[in-house]
Amino acid sequence: MPDPELPEEVLQEAERLTRLARDAIDPDERATYLSARDELVEPHDFVARLRDEDETLVLHPAEWVDDDGTVRPSQIDDVDRGIERPLSGTGEEHEWSAVEEHNAAVVEAVADEHGEVHAANARAFADFLGNHYVRKIETAGAPEVREFVEEYYPRNAWPTTEQQSLLSESLELIFDAVGAEVPEYR
């Protein structure tokens, strides 16, 4: 099997930036994320866009696309070169056990660095993302964080008063542990 044209790290970062752009409230912030994504895939001769109707990141080889962004079917040599990544739900590459293993490592890192109260909040967030979305922590966007804070956490996490009072800080520490920013969910 030939090497993929886009390395997995590039695909994951393009996916993350697209989620951040999708969830951004400020148009300038959205434009910044989209620009960073485009600069990321451009050296690999790819063009990225979000297919809104099903929230899917679509990446096409640049030679398939006109200057106005229109895909030219006559230029498509091998449809398998195109890449689609759903931004909501899961894909085969995100099976539950791999996601749980990743998120559990994040919870452990939070516990080691910041103690059990933050670890309990991290575990609740990891459980929510893994069981409801089968997603790694760093892929959570504003809608998922908002749902966790407003609906899941008060009903399902059974937090102590101390855990509740530290939830915002815990979210900062959780996202910091994966090298990402907390999406603006308020």
Side-chain angles (χ1 to χ4, degrees):
M1 182 173 173
D3 286 338
E5 293 182 66
L6 279 174
E8 184 60 30
E9 316 80 69
V10 171
L11 286 171
Q12 288 178 359
E13 182 64 4
E15 193 175 333
R16 186 183 78 80
L17 290 167
T18 303
R19 272 197 183 88
L20 290 169
R22 176 196 64 185
D23 297 340
I25 296 169
D26 178 13
D28 291 336
E29 181 183 9
R30 181 177 296 117
T32 299
Y33 289 132
L34 292 176
S35 177
R37 179 199 64 196
D38 294 344
E39 288 175 15
L40 179 70
V41 300
E42 185 182 21
H44 300 278
D45 294 323
F46 269 75
V47 175
R49 71 178 177 85
L50 176 63
R51 189 170 58 218
D52 289 317
E53 59 268 15
D54 62 355
E55 290 197 336
T56 298
L57 171 63
V58 180
L59 298 128
H60 296 296
E63 71 255 20
W64 294 3
V65 184
D66 280 335
D67 290 339
D68 66 358
T70 304
V71 174
R72 297 173 294 176
S74 62
Q75 295 298 318
I76 299 175
D77 54 347
D78 177 4
V79 294
D80 289 336
R81 291 180 61 211
I83 300 167
E84 294 188 356
R85 288 280 179 104
L87 298 182
S88 45
T90 67
E92 288 177 40
E93 68 278 5
H94 297 294
E95 65 183 45
W96 185 87
S97 60
V99 169
E100 172 54 26
E101 183 178 328
H102 172 81
N103 289 349
V106 175
V107 172
E108 189 174 317
V110 170
D112 290 346
E113 290 288 320
H114 307 288
E116 288 306 313
V117 173
H118 290 298
N121 283 337
R123 181 71 262 170
F125 190 53
D127 287 345
F128 167 73
L129 285 174
N131 294 332
H132 291 272
Y133 291 100
V134 191
R135 290 179 52 182
K136 293 179 179 179
I137 287 169
E138 60 270 26
T139 68
E144 292 83 18
V145 177
R146 189 176 307 109
E147 181 183 353
F148 171 74
V149 170
E150 295 174 3
E151 297 175 29
Y152 180 90
Y153 187 77
R155 294 183 188 144
N156 300 300
W158 298 89
T160 65
T161 304
E162 184 180 15
Q163 287 170 320
Q164 288 175 349
S165 70
L166 293 174
L167 181 59
S168 283
E169 184 182 344
S170 292
L171 287 169
E172 292 285 341
L173 296 172
I174 293 163
F175 277 88
D176 185 55
V178 294
E181 293 182 27
V182 178
E184 183 53 56
Y185 62 92
R186 295 181 186 124

